[in-house]
Amino acid sequence: MATALSDEIDVLAKAKRAIGGGYVPAGDEPYMSEAQQDYFRKLLQAWKRSILDAAAGTLQQLQDGPIREPDLNDRASSETDWGIELRTRDRQRKLIAKIDSALRRIEEGEYGYCEVTGEPIGLGRLEARPIATMTVEAQEAHERREKVSRDD
């Protein structure tokens, strides 16, 4: 799990470098101003493009042919590696749906506001997790309710 999260963080960092421009949203400008919305739109699009490029590389490797390891241990190791790679791609497929949802929220003027409370999510949280839909407090409350229902 930690590896999948670190891969996601690496891909997001790559997306931030790809948009360049030097603009970083600041707290002294109006919240979700046109410049901030444009920044997050570009960030989300670059993140999505980066994920799709990685998925295309995986697909190309799969099309290049089956695993042909003569040693059973090597073959098992290769198959395990492919299983991990495919699970990662499935996780990223779900992430793309969240990115598309965030892009839709930008277009509808809902981006950056908690879907539960309507309060601003905050620039720091959106920088760290551009697909966030809840404030930290609302997310923690949601997770506590989820944990309680799992324990029942």
Side-chain angles (χ1 to χ4, degrees):
M1 179 73 176
T3 304
L5 181 59
S6 66
D7 287 347
E8 189 175 306
I9 291 169
D10 290 342
V11 173
L12 180 57
K14 181 180 173 187
K16 285 181 181 180
R17 286 190 303 274
I19 63 172
Y23 173 79
V24 177
D28 62 350
E29 57 189 336
Y31 188 71
M32 282 301 116
S33 64
E34 194 63 40
Q36 290 177 357
Q37 289 180 27
D38 190 49
Y39 170 82
F40 285 110
R41 182 182 302 108
K42 288 178 182 175
L43 177 61
L44 289 161
Q45 290 168 340
W47 193 12
K48 180 178 176 179
R49 212 171 17 260
S50 181
I51 291 168
L52 292 173
D53 290 347
T58 299
L59 182 60
Q60 184 59 45
Q61 288 177 342
L62 283 172
Q63 291 173 343
D64 285 346
I67 299 170
R68 296 178 192 246
E69 301 286 349
D71 182 65
L72 289 178
N73 290 327
D74 289 343
R75 180 181 210 126
S77 179
S78 294
E79 288 175 0
T80 299
D81 291 345
W82 273 112
I84 292 168
E85 180 74 16
L86 292 173
R87 280 194 303 277
T88 300
R89 295 297 163 234
D90 185 54
R91 188 171 191 271
Q92 288 179 338
R93 178 186 55 80
K94 294 173 185 172
L95 181 58
I96 286 175
K98 292 179 181 181
I99 292 171
D100 288 339
S101 176
L103 289 167
R104 179 194 50 77
R105 287 193 315 277
I106 289 173
E107 298 307 316
E108 294 174 359
E110 300 170 1
Y111 184 79
Y113 295 93
C114 181
E115 64 183 16
V116 176
T117 65
E119 296 290 318
I121 292 173
L123 294 176
R125 179 160 168 77
L126 291 172
E127 274 285 322
R129 189 81 172 147
I131 58 172
T133 59
M134 292 184 252
T135 61
V136 172
E137 296 80 13
Q139 183 70 41
E140 288 172 346
H142 172 74
E143 289 172 3
R144 278 193 301 274
R145 284 190 305 272
E146 195 174 79
K147 183 180 183 313
V148 168
S149 67
R150 262 187 280 140
D151 291 344
D152 288 345

